[in-house]
Amino acid sequence: MKITFYGHATVELETGGKKLLFDPFITPNELAKHIDINSLKPDYILLSHGHGDHIADLAAIQKNSGAKVICIAEIAGWLGNQGIADAHGMNIGGSFKFDFGRVKMVNAIHSSSMPDGSYGGNPAGFVIYTNEGKNIYFAGDTALTYDMKLLADDNIAWAILPIGDNYTMGVDDAIKAAAFVDCQNVIGVHYDTFPAIKLDKEETRAKFIKAGINIQLPEIGGSVDL
């Protein structure tokens, strides 16, 4: 199993021979200009919410790969109106078994609307209970929330957490979030893309290390073996 970071909040999880791409925002990201989205062939695309900095490359990658989209029900309906019929709609608290494992949609505290202003339902996170036995938490864009404590018994092996502050929780709250879900391995996302979320990586690593948490901040295009 491995996770590849494509900048901002875009990551791809490889598990059981399947590729799961989360929140594709690559082409508009100047920091990820060396990534060719045509080379990405995910089997699934998971969307945490409808903001443009999480779905900008969805249509192109889905068309090129034929990936099934997993998202909140309202976004699935919106995608159908955009000509993307292969979308599996879910809602908060629900889970579904796919060929790579089970996906549970969990709460996130943020906002959500589609690029055209349409209602995007509630923002969400995902827990992926892989067939390989490792459980992965993708928090999505969120504040720190006590709901995360509900995942403490789920044996989360890795947590993918936003750490850039301003639009989401920052480093200090992400450290608390890792404690809430009882996870010692974190991949940080949602930083550096815009001036308001510029990250001091050295300080960030020091804070996580002090808290006894393994923090990974891979370069764009880099991977982490899970």
Side-chain angles (χ1 to χ4, degrees):
M1 291 178 63
K2 72 175 182 178
I3 285 180
T4 302
F5 179 56
Y6 289 115
H8 199 50
T10 307
V11 298
E12 185 174 70
L13 169 64
E14 295 185 39
T15 177
K18 301 295 181 180
K19 295 181 178 181
L20 286 62
L21 183 68
F22 294 78
D23 288 358
F25 174 79
I26 299 170
T27 304
N29 183 1
E30 185 66 21
L31 301 176
K33 61 184 179 181
H34 59 291
I35 304 297
D36 177 12
I37 65 168
N38 294 315
S39 68
L40 302 180
K41 306 288 185 180
D43 299 285
Y44 297 88
I45 299 173
L46 290 82
L47 304 176
S48 66
H49 63 295
H51 288 163
D53 62 324
H54 291 258
I55 72 166
D57 290 314
L58 166 65
I61 294 175
Q62 196 281 331
K63 181 179 180 180
N64 194 38
S65 65
K68 178 184 288 294
V69 182
I70 302 172
C71 57
I72 198 119
E74 288 83 356
I75 293 181
W78 183 85
L79 291 174
N81 293 331
Q82 309 300 311
I84 300 176
D86 195 6
H88 181 96
M90 300 183 68
N91 219 315
I92 307 298
S95 65
F96 191 84
K97 187 77 166 68
F98 295 91
D99 54 2
F100 56 84
R102 183 166 64 93
V103 174
K104 185 174 184 179
M105 182 173 276
V106 297
N107 193 39
I109 298 180
H110 195 58
S111 56
S112 181
S113 60
M114 309 313 297
D116 62 5
S118 299
Y119 176 57
N122 291 327
F126 298 97
V127 180
I128 314 298
Y129 304 89
T130 72
N131 291 336
E132 296 185 66
K134 289 186 177 180
N135 302 333
I136 312 299
Y137 173 43
F138 181 85
D141 278 15
T142 188
L144 179 68
T145 167
Y146 251 61
D147 282 4
M148 293 172 177
K149 289 195 171 188
L150 298 173
L151 303 179
D153 295 329
D154 284 23
N155 298 314
I156 304 296
W158 285 84
I160 302 164
L161 304 177
I163 59 174
D165 218 344
N166 195 71
Y167 303 112
T168 67
M169 60 185 173
V171 170
D172 293 339
D173 280 352
I175 289 171
K176 293 178 183 177
F180 280 7
V181 302
D182 193 20
C183 180
Q184 301 303 309
N185 300 298
V186 170
I187 296 174
V189 298
H190 210 280
Y191 62 87
D192 280 358
T193 318
F194 312 115
I197 57 174
K198 186 68 176 176
L199 187 74
D200 184 327
K201 291 185 179 180
E202 184 175 341
E203 181 184 36
T204 296
R205 289 189 178 98
K207 285 185 173 183
F208 273 93
I209 290 170
K210 184 178 180 180
I213 299 170
N214 170 32
I215 178 68
Q216 296 292 319
L217 302 173
E219 296 297 322
I220 296 176
S223 299
V224 176
D225 291 324
L226 308 184

